[in-house]
Amino acid sequence: QVQVVESGGGLVQAGGSLRLSCTASELSFRDHIVGWFRQAPGKEREGVSCLSRDGRASYYADFVKGRFTASRDNAKNTLYLQMNSLKPEDTAMYYCAAVSTQNQGVYCRSEGFDYWGQGTQVTVSS
């Protein structure tokens, strides 16, 4: 059974940093697009960053460009999200997701992803 587990969330002051990790088991990680999504209370889930199978192609939402960096280690079945210069509006539950693909490109729409973690809470205080 596929398991996707996020970690690294927490409470941080505005301007601070956090590093999220996501580990997937029982799937061929290198054959999946992987990504980070977030959902704040009362808002829809939105794509934050997604990476192609080899990590060479990436997507970043405009609201995180220049502040967040995603990376993946296929040998460890792990996805990371380095979040710098955090803002109160970054407060949300952050989810890791994966979808199998034969394509080399990347996309980042939540409805296209098959496997999801339970999420890790990120709270940024002002």
Side-chain angles (χ1 to χ4, degrees), residues 74-95:
N74 286 345
K76 296 182 178 180
N77 281 18
T78 302
L79 173 68
Y80 304 98
L81 184 67
Q82 179 65 45
M83 304 187 295
N84 298 328
S85 302
L86 282 161
K87 305 175 182 180
E89 51 264 44
D90 293 320
T91 295
M93 185 72 78
Y94 283 71
Y95 298 91

Side-chain angles (χ1 to χ4, degrees), residues 94-117:
Y94 283 71
Y95 298 91
C96 175
V99 59
S100 176
T101 181
Q102 294 182 341
N103 296 324
Q104 297 301 320
V106 65
Y107 63 85
C108 209
R109 295 188 299 275
S110 61
E111 59 268 22
F113 283 73
D114 298 320
Y115 304 108
W116 291 85

Side-chain angles (χ1 to χ4, degrees), residues 49-85:
S49 178
C50 295
L51 297 178
S52 62
R53 290 167 48 178
D54 60 8
R56 293 181 180 180
S58 62
Y59 164 87
Y60 288 93
D62 286 344
F63 52 78
V64 302
K65 285 181 180 177
R67 300 189 299 125
F68 292 9
T69 303
S71 59
R72 63 187 295 169
D73 185 339
N74 286 345
K76 296 182 178 180
N77 281 18
T78 302
L79 173 68
Y80 304 98
L81 184 67
Q82 179 65 45
M83 304 187 295
N84 298 328
S85 302

Side-chain angles (χ1 to χ4, degrees), residues 8-12 18 20 83 86 90-94 120-124:
L11 174 64
V12 64
L18 282 174
L20 306 184
M83 304 187 295
L86 282 161
D90 293 320
T91 295
M93 185 72 78
Y94 283 71
T120 186
Q121 178 68 38
V122 172
T123 303
V124 185

Side-chain angles (χ1 to χ4, degrees), residues 4-5 19-20 33 36 44 68 70 72 86 97:
V4 178
V5 180
R19 189 191 194 204
L20 306 184
I33 291 173
W36 292 100
E44 293 186 354
F68 292 9
R72 63 187 295 169
L86 282 161

